[in-house]
């Protein structure tokens, strides 16, 4: 069956678009540009005719809900962006967005708390897609308190912590390396989600902090982030060296879970491990 006739089947009634919501054609073009795909590339991947896709992008044809889902699958969109694509086409969002405090995610929260506890005496954090620190274990507080001399963190966002000279930044011995990697991740996040205004604003804010190299304003296509980054924290002749692993949730069915990741820090050397153990013992008293 020709894809054009298949997509002309009756579909559920569409709701009115929210005020200011982008049309689906605009979103599709933005996502194709982010993926560097042509209309033909997307049409072949989604199993639709290039002619019909062109009509959808120009507003000459309205896609069915099934086609929107196929296009989102082909573009490998995050769940939030899949919802946005459905809403732009006039359909209700498919995926719920819950907070970790809701009963529906109680088991997930317990699993996260278990991961954080198991990481002791080394730091671990739970972050969302904009690097906001949602949860952390006691080791994270101890290590941050040590390198900051007991001063509390100024920000609850990891990007701001590393870029603000009034926060963690002075305690990072290899700041250029760590911050440069974070900037590359931010550039990639903005490019991968063209509709994410918060990510663009966070990138602009990070670049506006003092002494940020001017060339960081340009996305570096030939400089992939290092697969293993060591963060070196120092204070009064002491150094703590950590590398991190990232845990995400497979096949999430909730927007919140899709955007969460758990970052666990591990000591690079025995001196770091010993200092972390000492801080834990001192906290117990």
């Amino acid at each position: 069956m020709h894809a054009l006739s298949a997509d002309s089947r009756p579909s559920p009634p569409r709701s009115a678009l929210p005020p200011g919501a982008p049309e689906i054609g605009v979103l599709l073009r933005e996502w194709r540009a982010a993926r560097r795909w042509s209309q033909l590339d997307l049409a072949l991947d989604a199993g639709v005719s290039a002619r019909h896709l062109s009509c959808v992008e120009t507003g000459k044809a309205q896609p069915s809900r099934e086609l929107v889902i196929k296009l989102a699958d082909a573009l490998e969109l995050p769940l939030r962006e899949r919802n946005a694509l459905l809403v732009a086409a006039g359909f209700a969002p498919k995926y719920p967005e819950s907070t970790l405090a809701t009963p529906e995610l109680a088991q997930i929260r317990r699993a996260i708390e278990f991961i954080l506890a198991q990481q002791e005496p080394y730091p671990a954090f739970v972050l969302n897609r904009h690097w906001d620190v949602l949860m952390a274990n006691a080791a994270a507080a101890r290590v941050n308190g040590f390198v900051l001399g007991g001063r509390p963190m100024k920000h609850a966002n990891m990007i701001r912590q590393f870029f603000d000279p009034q926060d963690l930044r002075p305690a990072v011995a290899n700041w250029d390396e760590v911050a440069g990697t974070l900037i590359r991740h931010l550039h990639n996040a903005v490019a991968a989600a063209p509709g994410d205004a918060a990510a663009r604003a966070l990138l602009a804010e990070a670049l506006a902090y003092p002494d940020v190299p001017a060339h960081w304003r340009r996305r570096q296509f030939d400089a992939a982030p290092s697969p293993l980054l060591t963060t070196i924290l120092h204070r009064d002749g002491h150094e703590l060296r950590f590398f991190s692993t990232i845990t995400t949730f497979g096949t999430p069915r909730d927007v919140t879970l899709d955007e969460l990741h758990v970052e666990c820090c591990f000591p690079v050397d025995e001196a770091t491990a010993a200092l972390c153990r000492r801080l834990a013992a001192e906290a117990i008293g």
Side-chain angles (χ1 to χ4, degrees):
M1 182 180 290
H2 195 276
L4 181 58
S5 60
D7 291 326
S8 63
R9 293 173 297 178
S11 56
R14 292 173 173 81
S15 58
L17 291 180
E23 297 179 357
I24 186 170
V26 173
L27 291 182
L28 287 174
R29 288 193 294 273
E30 287 180 346
W31 277 105
R32 280 200 302 101
R35 298 289 190 260
R36 299 184 180 182
W37 282 10
S38 67
Q39 278 187 347
L40 181 59
D41 292 330
L42 178 54
L44 289 173
D45 246 41
V48 63
S49 73
R51 176 173 175 267
H52 187 62
L53 178 58
S54 176
C55 290
V56 170
E57 288 196 2
T58 57
K60 295 178 181 178
Q62 289 293 330
S64 67
R65 182 180 177 87
E66 291 74 20
L67 176 57
V68 175
I69 292 172
K70 284 183 179 180
L71 293 170
D73 287 342
L75 289 165
E76 298 182 344
L77 300 189
L79 299 192
R80 182 181 299 276
E81 307 305 333
R82 290 170 185 260
N83 280 347
L85 204 65
L86 284 165
V87 170
F91 298 108
K94 179 180 179 181
Y95 299 97
E97 181 176 2
S98 311
T99 67
L100 285 175
T102 59
E104 291 78 8
L105 297 186
Q107 289 184 331
I108 295 296
R109 184 180 178 89
R110 283 196 294 270
I112 291 173
E113 290 171 345
F114 181 77
I115 293 172
L116 296 181
Q118 288 292 107
Q119 188 59 19
E120 289 283 349
Y122 312 121
F125 311 86
V126 180
L127 308 172
N128 65 13
R129 65 176 179 153
H130 294 135
W131 286 271
D132 296 315
V133 180
L134 305 182
M135 299 170 65
N137 64 0
R142 291 194 301 269
V143 168
N144 288 338
F146 174 78
V147 298
L148 293 177
R151 176 170 53 86
M153 302 287 283
K154 182 179 178 181
H155 300 287
N157 178 279
M158 191 165 283
I159 298 296
R160 296 185 179 101
Q161 290 171 358
F162 275 91
F163 277 81
D164 189 344
Q166 303 301 317
D167 207 322
L168 187 63
R169 176 172 168 177
V172 184
N174 60 334
W175 183 81
D176 285 347
E177 181 184 6
V178 175
T181 298
L182 290 174
I183 281 292
R184 284 194 290 273
H185 282 303
L186 264 175
H187 273 297
N188 291 342
V190 169
D196 191 344
R200 290 200 305 272
L202 187 61
L203 174 60
E205 182 182 346
L207 292 170
Y209 279 111
D211 301 319
V212 172
H215 70 270
W216 286 5
R217 300 182 181 279
R218 300 183 299 276
R219 186 183 180 200
Q220 301 177 34
F221 293 97
D222 58 345
S226 171
L228 187 62
L229 174 67
T230 297
T231 300
I232 307 172
L233 304 176
H234 63 155
R235 177 199 166 196
D236 298 338
H238 294 282
E239 278 192 351
L240 295 102
R241 297 171 175 263
F242 296 102
F243 71 93
S244 299
T245 62
I246 302 297
T247 301
T248 58
F249 295 90
T251 60
R253 305 296 296 176
D254 186 280
V255 173
T256 298
L257 295 185
D258 189 44
E259 296 174 349
L260 284 185
H261 68 270
V262 182
E263 181 169 345
C264 294
C265 302
F266 294 87
V268 171
D269 50 42
E270 178 53 31
T272 299
L275 182 51
C276 287
R277 292 194 297 267
R278 193 192 88 193
L279 293 175
E282 290 174 353
I284 296 173

